Amino acid sequence: MENILNREAFCLFLGNFSLPPSYDVVIGILSARGNTEQRQALRETWVGHALQHPSLGQRILIKFIVGSQPCPIPALDRLDQYSCEPDVVVDPVLQQDIIAYMVPKGAVGYHYHNGPLGMDFRVNFPIIVTQLGVFDSNSDGIKSQLTVRLYDKVSQAEVLSVNFTQDEPGELIGGSRFKPVDQFLLPKGFEGSIVGENFSLSDPSSNNPLVHGGFDSGGGLISFHSVSRFGVKQSVFPEFEEKFFEEDNQYGAGSFMYRAYVNFSVVDDEFTKETMLERKRERTERTKMWHKVLLREEKELEREMQLYDDILMVDVVDVYRNLPMKLLKFYSWVALNMKFNFTLKTDDDCFVHLESIVKGLNDRKLRGKERTWWSRFRTAWPVERVGKWRELDYTAPVYPSFACGAGNVLSADLVRWLALNADNLKPYQGEDVSVGIWLSALGPNLVNDYRWSCGRECDTGTFTSPENEPEELREMWADLLACGDPCGCS
């Protein structure tokens, strides 16, 4: 590893022949474009103190890491508050049943897995599920018994189920057979999985998307994910996931029929051409107002950058889902531009006791050691599929070990490895889990230390304390100066 990560070789590789500045610790503080107050609170507390400290000021470099591009989509018009993707514009198909996953008549399956096979979807507008369906290989009837279950993906609880038998095979529509169910309402935001099971040599499923007929969102009523799943035990939510890009209809297995849930007494007002045009005008007006907000934000950032030389602008759209790329670009910038021993990553809502951390580097004798990752780690942490930590790309049920978000230290060799491989590293849902996945290939030496906080708990010897408002940061700093304890003076 020493040969691969040798700093001089790295600089030669990148064409950097000048002697770079040298630091012991380079600190990157992840910060959003609009978080002016948070950055100022840190400048008035631990950041400002460190830069003015007679010893620390010469050994450290501190940069706020800010995305150079704002998200041009107003918050109300985004798919969620964490990304910069436009929300689904629903122009629903009304008063008719829609088949979600379609298979052409006569399609033949060659997949004999008898455990559950599922595909995931999300509801964008309330729908009523009216029938469940199952793939009928060769469209020639059910030979044994097949079962289709609709699951709530979050709770993994069964919502609906239907059995298909030789005597009661259901109605053939296309290449699937359907049976009615007690009509069930799925609300907006519902995350589900449609699962078929008990396939066999006599009743095979299909795992060839090329023979499937696609899917029907009903004008945006539902969205289909590229995550498919399988399991071993029947009647149990299938926990194993796989992802095939551009293949949202991976299995010929289960399907369902649904329709939009609307109040038909007002439907004429809700979805008329005039109403849809009015919604479009409202979106246009929100976009204009948001543009004015972004102009003010840009001017404030320019003023801030003229006053302080502590903001590193990196080329990403500044939203939560892009935090992995923000951090990776910081590591690349550090590796390219300076000589250093360690990096420290933290957030702009974190109190950091920097002098204790520097002392800890010495006390733990971490200097000169390779592949060192010092923090408090989460191990075997379950992968979440909804909410802020929604993960659609990493299909294992748990993550490799990763550092808590409040702070962690990497040795220079690990940072250079990340920088050298930046173009080939795939970002996942958050920066901390992404670094854990990336570095798992190297088997870093994890130095677990409970002084790196994972939550708002505060102990006298803590290194970091996250999730603080600007005034809380100032209060903690005042307490540290007054009595040496950021958690409060008794």
Side-chain angles (χ1 to χ4, degrees):
M1 184 169 181
E2 176 62 30
N3 292 333
I4 295 174
L5 302 178
N6 180 273
R7 192 200 160 275
E8 286 73 17
F10 181 81
C11 290
L12 288 172
F13 174 77
L14 294 171
N16 181 0
F17 298 99
S18 61
L19 290 175
S22 180
Y23 300 98
D24 186 25
V25 183
V26 182
I27 302 170
I29 306 171
L30 292 174
S31 185
R33 291 173 62 87
N35 286 6
T36 305
E37 290 187 25
Q38 286 91 328
R39 289 190 289 272
Q40 191 57 36
L42 296 190
R43 294 185 186 108
E44 294 173 11
T45 57
W46 67 267
V47 169
H49 168 76
L51 296 176
Q52 297 170 11
H53 192 280
S55 173
L56 289 178
Q58 301 301 315
R59 300 167 56 194
I60 65 169
L61 177 67
I62 302 178
K63 290 289 185 180
F64 292 99
I65 314 166
V66 178
S68 62
Q69 306 164 49
C71 178
I73 305 171
L76 283 176
D77 298 320
R78 300 179 197 176
L79 184 62
D80 57 54
Q81 61 182 307
Y82 311 110
S83 67
C84 191
E85 298 180 47
D87 197 3
V88 177
V89 178
V90 179
D91 186 8
V93 175
L94 300 175
Q95 302 187 52
Q96 71 178 61
D97 281 355
I98 304 157
I99 297 176
Y101 297 90
M102 299 176 291
V103 179
K105 187 174 181 179
V108 178
Y110 299 96
H111 193 225
Y112 310 124
H113 179 72
N114 71 347
L117 302 170
M119 295 173 290
D120 295 352
F121 66 94
R122 181 181 188 274
V123 177
N124 303 315
F125 185 92
I127 64 171
I128 295 288
V129 177
T130 59
Q131 299 191 47
L132 297 185
V134 72
F135 174 66
D136 179 5
S137 179
N138 204 35
S139 304
D140 58 359
I142 307 299
K143 311 299 189 304
S144 54
Q145 175 175 307
L146 301 177
T147 302
V148 173
R149 305 180 194 276
L150 177 63
Y151 285 97
D152 181 330
K153 190 175 70 171
V154 178
S155 67
Q156 300 186 1
E158 180 184 303
V159 175
L160 294 168
S161 67
V162 169
N163 293 321
F164 297 82
T165 65
Q166 187 174 15
D167 294 335
E168 297 182 346
E171 179 186 2
L172 181 66
I173 304 177
S176 297
R177 294 187 176 272
F178 288 85
K179 282 187 173 183
V181 295
D182 292 337
Q183 298 189 359
F184 195 89
L185 172 65
L186 301 183
K188 178 180 179 180
F190 177 86
E191 299 274 352
S193 189
I194 186 70
V195 174
E197 60 186 41
N198 203 36
F199 296 99
S200 63
L201 186 62
S202 58
D203 284 311
S205 62
S206 171
N207 65 343
N208 181 5
L210 296 178
V211 306
H212 304 163
F215 36 80
D216 191 339
S217 70
L221 293 171
I222 62 178
S223 298
F224 301 92
H225 298 327
S226 296
V227 172
S228 301
R229 57 182 64 252
F230 64 93
V232 177
K233 296 180 61 177
Q234 297 182 10
S235 305
V236 176
F237 182 79
E239 61 176 337
F240 300 108
E241 298 181 351
E242 52 188 354
K243 182 168 184 177
F244 299 89
F245 293 99
E246 307 303 328
E247 296 181 4
D248 299 334
N249 195 359
Q250 171 65 17
Y251 291 123
S255 184
F256 61 96
M257 202 175 293
Y258 69 99
R259 63 171 55 205
Y261 175 72
V262 294
N263 184 343
F264 288 103
S265 64
V266 298
V267 68
D268 290 338
D269 293 332
E270 189 172 359
F271 295 110
T272 61
K273 182 177 180 181
E274 291 75 15
T275 301
M276 300 299 285
L277 286 174
E278 178 59 27
R279 289 176 181 169
K280 185 176 181 180
R281 283 192 291 269
E282 290 173 355
R283 288 196 299 271
T284 301
E285 186 61 30
R286 282 196 297 270
T287 300
K288 290 179 180 178
M289 295 177 63
W290 181 241
H291 182 66
K292 293 179 181 178
V293 171
L294 295 182
L295 286 176
R296 291 195 299 269
E297 184 182 85
E298 182 68 27
K299 289 181 180 179
E300 179 61 29
L301 258 177
E302 291 175 355
R303 182 198 68 82
E304 192 177 353
M305 292 177 70
Q306 289 175 355
L307 289 174
Y308 307 100
D309 185 27
D310 59 6
I311 295 179
L312 173 65
M313 302 293 285
V314 295
D315 185 20
V316 298
V317 176
D318 205 44
V319 292
Y320 175 82
R321 293 285 181 236
N322 287 339
L323 284 177
M325 296 313 298
K326 282 179 73 171
L327 183 58
L328 196 55
K329 287 179 180 292
F330 165 70
Y331 288 148
S332 297
W333 176 80
V334 173
L336 176 62
N337 289 285
M338 61 202 65
K339 186 177 180 180
F340 63 102
N341 295 321
F342 303 97
T343 60
L344 190 162
K345 172 264 173 183
T346 189
D347 299 327
D348 64 8
D349 63 357
C350 290
F351 177 87
V352 177
H353 198 324
L354 195 54
E355 289 173 270
S356 294
I357 293 172
V358 173
K359 182 177 182 298
L361 285 171
N362 297 324
D363 292 345
R364 281 192 169 265
K365 300 179 180 180
L366 300 180
R367 300 184 185 281
K369 294 183 178 179
E370 293 186 343
R371 302 190 187 189
T372 297
W373 195 4
W374 182 32
S375 186
R376 185 173 173 181
F377 294 93
R378 299 190 191 276
T379 301
W381 196 260
V383 176
E384 298 188 29
R385 302 301 181 192
V386 295
K388 181 178 181 179
W389 296 288
R390 174 193 181 113
E391 177 67 76
L392 294 179
D393 293 328
Y394 192 73
T395 56
V398 297
Y399 289 115
S401 296
F402 64 93
C404 291
N408 69 86
V409 168
L410 288 177
S411 57
D413 56 330
L414 292 179
V415 175
R416 293 186 190 116
W417 185 89
L418 290 169
L420 278 169
N421 292 279
D423 291 342
N424 299 312
L425 295 175
K426 175 181 175 53
Y428 295 90
Q429 61 84 8
E431 78 280 13
D432 298 310
V433 299
S434 292
V435 174
I437 294 168
W438 298 335
L439 291 182
S440 65
L442 294 180
N445 299 314
L446 305 184
V447 182
N448 197 35
D449 194 324
Y450 282 84
R451 289 175 291 182
W452 299 92
S453 297
C454 286
R456 282 183 59 86
E457 72 272 9
C458 187
D459 297 316
T460 300
T462 191
F463 287 158
T464 52
S465 176
E467 303 173 15
N468 296 289
E469 297 296 328
E471 282 309 308
E472 291 177 309
L473 290 165
R474 293 185 176 96
E475 290 173 6
M476 294 181 74
W477 183 249
D479 288 337
L480 179 65
L481 294 180
C483 64
D485 186 352
C487 302
C489 299
S490 56

